[in-house]
Amino acid sequence: MAKRWVITLMRLVGRNWITLFGASLTTVSALAILTFFTLGALGLADSPYIAVLALMVLPMVFMAGLLLIPAGAYWERKRLAEGADQRGRYPRIDFNKSAVRRSAAVVAALTFVNVVLIAVVSYEGVHYTESTEFCGTVCHTVMAPEHTAYLDSPHAQVECVECHIGPGAPWFVRSKLSGLGQVVAVTLGTYERPVPTPVHNLRPAQDTCMQCHWPSKFTGDRMKVIETFAEDEANTPLTTALLLHIGGGNRSQGGIHSWHIDPARQTTYISLDQRRETIPYVQVRDPDGQIVEYFAEDTDLTPDDLETAEKRTMDCIDCHNRPTHRHYLPHRAMDQALAEGRIDRSIPFVKKMGTQILKEVGDQFGDASQLPKLLAAYYKENHPDYYASNQRSVQAAGEELINLYNRNVFPAMRVTWGTYPNFIGHTDYDGCFRCHDGSHSTRDGEKSIGADCSTCHEVLAWEEEDPQIVKDLGITR
């Protein structure tokens, strides 16, 4: 019986080279897919490139083989028909014949297996293209800056698609179509370096961020304690304590969120650059429909410009523009490493020298492996006695400089210190001061966008060595 089935199968696929080649492609790719699935299930194959091969490349080979099988059969039928006019146009299928029944059974069984395999692979393939592994590691060079920052962010347990796509079929389809263009750009190497930000076709924050965050809920004031280090010999720890007026979505409650994203009022603006750093015009529509327009004092926008310029409605990411993919400036990276004890703060001038060396090497897209040597050279020359007895601490600090560099500088993508500004606050970048700079006012000068510090926060301590307020509140650092 088994022999008859084998003979029937060989007759189905072995009549011409096209069908035979298609059957071979299908069989080999199916076996390869099953092999990779098995290795993955056993934990023996954990490479993103293997996943791409098993879920994206091999399925296309499998489908091509399936298409070649009937194509070859059609070609064979046409060839035979040309040499025998008495043949009918369509084959005669007579289920009274055992050979026909066996052929039909083989075709039905293979079709069932193929449908199951295609369904499983398609599902797994779509699921894989939505995974963080695919987004962050398959196109390793392109996404290295974003993926590295993501792994070090508060959203490290949130899948990329939750923020970049969100729920619903329309944006899912839109993202897949956009992804095709990105795949072509990566394949041909035509993508920009660095990748420009912000992403101008990103889904509105109310459809993504607000699936988890609820800014319209009143949150009141919140304490924020920031620890930095002076660039002196002792790397003196300095503490800043702020009482942030977070607020909620309702303007009557006051606070940052209340003024910027009140659902009853709409704030729009015009930016003069792709990065949205220069904002010469802001428009506020109050709940009663009244419109107030604010212009930067040095703006030369004409009425025609206002009519034709692209206006953006303010949402979360206009201020929280790097919630997951934050890159630090050298002094901020050093502050973080010192605060967390990854660099020994007892090393004299290590904040100053670490910052200086990181900036010099990063600005030149230099070799990160030189950082420990440069740091050691400084202490050998300027603090020889200290270096002689603390060589290990200096070496460990140098190794941490490599980590800080690799966390923030990516030469292959032309990403260095300050490539991606963070608009939260106003100490390192303009951020809030893009609008709250004291120069945005109405044409008649009667109203202006406030620049008073107390509007958004109260300064309880500013870069103090040991502020009393922090002690009184029992805040540990």
Side-chain angles (χ1 to χ4, degrees):
M1 184 66 179
K3 182 178 180 181
R4 291 181 180 179
W5 280 71
V6 173
I7 293 173
T8 300
L9 179 62
M10 294 304 296
R11 286 177 178 173
L12 287 173
V13 301
R15 291 187 176 184
N16 65 84
W17 70 269
I18 298 177
T19 301
L20 184 60
F21 180 64
S24 300
L25 282 181
T26 299
T27 303
V28 171
S29 58
L31 291 174
I33 290 171
L34 293 173
T35 299
F36 285 133
F37 266 53
T38 303
L39 292 175
L42 296 175
L44 301 176
D46 193 25
S47 167
Y49 302 103
I50 290 179
V52 170
L53 183 64
L55 299 175
M56 302 179 72
V57 178
L58 287 174
M60 290 190 290
V61 176
F62 181 83
M63 290 296 298
L66 287 180
L67 293 174
L68 286 175
I69 292 174
Y74 174 78
W75 178 81
E76 178 70 11
R77 181 73 186 177
K78 185 177 181 181
R79 184 181 66 82
L80 293 175
E82 290 174 353
D85 294 336
Q86 68 275 17
R87 273 183 174 270
R89 183 175 180 182
Y90 300 103
R92 297 186 181 90
I93 301 175
D94 187 356
F95 281 98
N96 292 311
K97 296 179 180 180
S98 60
V100 173
R101 292 196 299 272
R102 286 196 302 272
S103 298
V106 170
V107 170
L110 291 177
T111 300
F112 175 77
V113 171
N114 291 338
V115 168
V116 171
L117 186 60
I118 291 171
V120 172
V121 171
S122 298
Y123 173 81
E124 292 293 336
V126 171
H127 181 68
Y128 182 68
T129 58
E130 295 181 347
S131 68
T132 299
E133 180 184 80
F134 178 80
C135 297
T137 61
V138 171
C139 304
H140 177 70
T141 299
V142 184
M143 295 307 300
E146 309 298 344
H147 186 246
T148 301
Y150 160 83
L151 294 176
D152 190 35
S153 78
H155 292 98
Q157 298 300 314
V158 180
E159 294 288 335
C160 302
V161 294
E162 297 295 328
C163 299
H164 286 269
I165 300 177
W171 278 89
F172 172 82
V173 174
R174 189 171 176 176
S175 70
K176 297 307 176 188
L177 294 176
S178 175
L180 290 176
Q182 294 168 8
V183 169
V184 172
V186 171
T187 302
L188 301 179
T190 57
Y191 54 89
E192 295 185 66
R193 302 171 179 84
V195 173
T197 59
V199 180
H200 286 261
N201 61 350
L202 195 65
R203 191 171 184 178
Q206 59 263 30
D207 296 340
T208 53
C209 306
M210 293 187 190
Q211 297 295 312
C212 299
H213 304 280
W214 191 11
S216 60
K217 179 178 174 60
F218 179 67
T219 58
D221 293 343
R222 184 173 299 171
M223 172 77 78
K224 182 172 184 179
V225 177
I226 305 169
E227 188 170 16
T228 60
F229 296 83
E231 294 189 353
D232 56 11
E233 183 174 1
N235 308 297
T236 304
L238 304 172
T239 300
T240 295
L242 302 174
L243 186 65
L244 299 177
H245 305 315
I246 301 296
N250 189 322
R251 182 176 53 170
S252 64
Q253 297 169 331
I256 301 167
H257 286 165
S258 303
W259 278 101
H260 292 92
I261 54 173
D262 181 351
R265 63 206 292 268
Q266 184 184 67
T267 301
T268 58
Y269 67 88
I270 294 173
S271 63
L272 297 181
D273 61 323
Q274 184 182 25
R275 303 209 312 181
R276 300 173 185 159
E277 289 187 283
T278 304
I279 300 177
Y281 171 85
V282 179
Q283 180 192 94
V284 179
R285 183 187 297 272
D286 284 332
D288 58 4
Q290 180 183 2
I291 295 176
V292 181
E293 297 177 304
Y294 300 93
F295 299 84
E297 61 183 7
D298 57 349
T299 185
D300 55 358
L301 290 175
T302 65
D304 289 339
D305 293 332
L306 295 178
E307 188 69 28
T308 59
E310 179 183 357
K311 296 183 178 68
R312 173 175 168 79
T313 300
M314 179 176 285
D315 69 5
C316 305
I317 64 169
D318 288 293
C319 297
H320 299 271
N321 67 313
R322 308 295 297 181
T324 300
H325 307 292
R326 182 176 182 178
H327 298 280
Y328 298 96
L329 293 176
H331 66 285
R332 296 299 181 198
M334 286 295 298
D335 283 336
Q336 191 177 54
L338 287 165
E340 295 176 0
R342 290 182 279 121
I343 291 180
D344 185 355
R345 67 178 67 176
S346 68
I347 303 174
F349 293 109
V350 70
K351 165 68 183 295
K352 177 180 179 180
M353 294 312 303
T355 300
Q356 179 179 319
I357 294 170
L358 284 170
K359 188 176 188 310
E360 289 176 356
V361 176
D363 287 347
Q364 300 170 6
F365 292 113
D367 182 4
S369 65
Q370 297 299 311
L371 291 166
K373 299 177 184 177
L374 293 172
L375 190 66
Y378 166 79
Y379 286 100
K380 286 180 182 178
E381 180 178 351
N382 297 279
H383 302 274
D385 294 337
Y386 178 86
Y387 181 76
S389 57
N390 295 275
Q391 187 171 346
R392 286 189 178 182
S393 295
V394 174
Q395 182 63 31
E399 295 297 328
E400 181 58 27
L401 292 184
I402 294 179
N403 294 333
L404 298 181
Y405 182 92
N406 291 334
R407 163 66 175 76
N408 297 283
V409 179
F410 302 86
M413 287 303 298
R414 312 304 296 170
V415 173
T416 187
W417 313 107
T419 298
Y420 295 125
N422 186 358
F423 294 148
I424 281 292
H426 48 74
T427 53
D428 294 330
Y429 304 98
D430 285 343
C432 308
F433 289 162
R434 292 175 298 160
C435 300
H436 295 268
D437 59 352
S439 74
H440 288 69
S441 60
T442 57
R443 290 292 195 193
D444 57 15
E446 292 186 2
K447 293 184 178 181
S448 62
I449 297 178
D452 185 357
C453 298
S454 62
T455 301
C456 296
H457 55 67
E458 297 290 341
V459 179
L460 305 180
W462 183 260
E463 294 190 348
E464 298 181 19
E465 287 191 37
D466 199 10
Q468 186 63 40
I469 184 67
V470 174
K471 288 182 181 179
D472 294 341
L473 294 175
I475 296 175
T476 57
R477 291 169 289 164

